[in-house]
Amino acid sequence: MMSNFWLDWASLFTILFLGCMVWAVAALYRTNKQAQRKKTLGSFDGIKENDAPIPSILFFGYLTFFMGAFVYLVLFPGIASWKGVINWTGENDSVTGHVKNLDSEIAQILDKPTNTPLTALSSNQDIVKAGESLFMDNCAGCHSESAKGQYHYPNLTDSDWLYGGNDKHIIISITHGRHGMMPVWEAHLTSAQLNEVTDYVMNINTEKKVDAVFAENCTSCHGADGKGNKAVGAPDLTDDVWLHGGSREEVYTSIAKGLNNQMPAFNNRLTQNQILQVGTYLRSIQDNYPVEVSDPVRITSTNSDGPSLPNSAASCVACHGKNGKSTGPAFPNLAGLSAQYIENQLNNFKRRKRVNATMSSMVAPLSDKDIIDIATYYSNQTAPLETVLPRGAVVVYDEPAARLVNQGDWHRGIPSCVTCHGTATLGVDSFPRLAGQNAKYIENQLIAWQQGKRTGDHDNMMKNVATKLTKEEIQAVAIYLSKMK
């Protein structure tokens, strides 16, 4: 607060300034009255300067500003302790809603766990208005002031949410951001195949049979029916919502050139309650959106959905899960794999030593530090094995797949899996854990080794093994390893 000393000085100068203004107005008025239009004051190069009065517009303009300043000082505080006739204070400012601390009100509303926190908060108009202000400052540049989005940026007022639209999904999206990637398919498909997939997608609702190229390359994300997968942010291809354009040319470009969209994480820019305010505003403006009930959401003091999940791993969660347990049989479990192995594989994808269109696109923007952070995080996710038998504990295996895994087949030059992958195939350094891995994933990888589609191992060890296995043996070994939990 300003001390009385400086307040008194400020008041003194204000009064002196007002006195000067009164003198200036009076002097101008007197000068105008005494002016003689026909009196010549001087002549320069034949041009006479008469004693004409100052134009009335200047005089009355100066008088008007003086009167306005005087009226302002009467109505509002400006001199010493004078509070003004209308008794105005800073609390009446229109921006107070933006700076008002709403923490206590939010805490009171969310005192108990709720699965619809944004819906509950939207009943408080102060929270909604604060959220609107934050949205305009941080989100409107991309999603527009109406939140209806624009080309490449989604509409936030409808029911089409790529990653799910319940309260928990919205909170996570704002907090951690989203990283959506579409592989560059022109590097893996021919021009004819690209056109075939484009035509199929454009007519997907009338096609009676799933296109072969689509089935092989697109269904893992968009599903066999093309309705998408919110777990990975894959859009529904059967509706009329096209974020990146729905013309044939635009769809073709999206498939061929791929997409790499990233919404920034706001957990380091906004407080947790500010994130709730933004989410509350979005919920309040949605058009007839049926509120989806999520798992109970308890608001805590942390801004993180997972205390140790690095930002660079946000795009991994959709397929591999936050705890390293995959969300589908085609995706590998990462829990229990060594950091060295995960790091090696991510680098192989990045350097295209290991070919997978989706993974190559995912790792392309990652730095060396990002890769290390991801590898370290997932290697620390536990995947306990209930029963671990030391090598030699069982001498005779009746099941052929068990013999191949634990003893191999030396007559055919096939070493056992445990020779390299360690006891109970729990993994050793750059050799990954196989125990408990998804059977379909193991089968796909052995076939890839067998066909030469996967490389990057030391001295082609896995190719040498896989080529000696039959299709039936590959399936049996994959199932046996997946059951080692």
Side-chain angles (χ1 to χ4, degrees), residues 350-370:
K350 191 168 186 177
R351 296 163 187 163
R352 297 193 179 277
K353 289 184 177 180
R354 183 174 175 183
V355 180
N356 181 286
T358 302
M359 282 302 302
S360 294
S361 297
M362 288 291 183
V363 301
L366 298 179
S367 66
D368 291 342
K369 182 180 182 303
D370 290 335

Side-chain angles (χ1 to χ4, degrees), residues 39-93:
K39 181 181 179 180
T40 300
L41 298 178
S43 179
F44 305 92
D45 293 333
I47 299 175
K48 294 180 180 181
E49 181 181 356
N50 293 339
D51 186 21
I54 296 173
S56 298
I57 189 172
L58 294 179
F59 173 74
F60 286 107
Y62 196 84
L63 179 62
T64 300
F65 284 120
F66 166 72
M67 293 177 64
F70 182 78
V71 171
Y72 178 88
L73 286 175
V74 172
L75 296 176
F76 296 92
I79 299 178
S81 59
W82 172 250
K83 295 183 178 180
V85 174
I86 63 175
N87 199 30
W88 181 92
T89 66
E91 294 298 321
N92 305 117
D93 196 343

Side-chain angles (χ1 to χ4, degrees), residues 218-450:
C218 311
T219 54
S220 60
C221 291
H222 295 283
D225 57 3
K227 292 189 176 297
N229 182 356
K230 290 182 179 180
V232 297
D236 186 342
L237 304 178
T238 66
D239 60 18
D240 59 355
V241 179
W242 294 91
L243 186 60
H244 306 284
S247 69
R248 188 188 186 284
E249 181 181 359
E250 289 169 320
V251 172
Y252 179 91
T253 300
S254 295
I255 297 172
K257 303 296 183 181
L259 297 164
N260 188 352
N261 286 1
Q262 186 164 9
M263 172 181 164
F266 282 88
N267 56 339
N268 292 324
R269 183 170 180 174
L270 302 177
T271 66
Q272 186 180 61
N273 280 345
Q274 286 177 322
I275 289 173
L276 288 173
Q277 291 165 24
V278 174
T280 299
Y281 169 69
L282 292 177
R283 181 63 79 214
S284 72
I285 63 173
Q286 288 176 336
D287 301 328
N288 301 319
Y289 184 75
V291 177
E292 299 177 9
V293 176
S294 65
D295 295 331
V297 179
R298 177 180 287 279
I299 307 304
T300 63
S301 60
T302 176
N303 278 336
S304 175
D305 184 48
S308 59
L309 180 72
N311 289 333
S312 54
S315 58
C316 308
V317 173
C319 295
H320 302 286
K322 181 186 172 185
N323 58 2
K325 296 180 181 179
S326 74
T327 59
F331 310 129
N333 295 320
L334 301 184
L337 298 179
S338 69
Q340 181 180 345
Y341 175 76
I342 297 174
E343 182 181 347
N344 286 344
Q345 297 311 303
L346 291 176
N347 281 318
N348 284 343
F349 283 123
K350 191 168 186 177
R351 296 163 187 163
R352 297 193 179 277
K353 289 184 177 180
R354 183 174 175 183
V355 180
N356 181 286
T358 302
M359 282 302 302
S360 294
S361 297
M362 288 291 183
V363 301
L366 298 179
S367 66
D368 291 342
K369 182 180 182 303
D370 290 335
I371 289 175
I372 293 174
D373 288 344
I374 293 172
T376 302
Y377 171 78
Y378 277 113
S379 68
N380 288 326
Q381 303 306 307
T382 58
L385 195 64
E386 294 179 2
T387 303
V388 179
L389 296 176
R391 294 182 65 179
V394 178
V395 178
V396 178
Y397 290 91
D398 296 327
E399 187 179 349
R403 284 200 301 271
L404 285 171
V405 169
N406 294 283
Q407 295 176 331
D409 187 343
W410 293 105
H411 295 290
R412 297 159 58 194
I414 302 175
S416 66
C417 300
V418 297
T419 299
C420 296
H421 294 273
T423 301
T425 68
L426 290 175
V428 179
D429 297 330
S430 61
F431 294 94
R433 170 179 173 144
L434 303 178
Q437 189 57 271
N438 291 328
K440 188 62 179 177
Y441 174 76
I442 296 175
E443 179 184 348
N444 290 342
Q445 296 312 301
L446 286 172
I447 293 173
W449 288 116
Q450 193 177 65

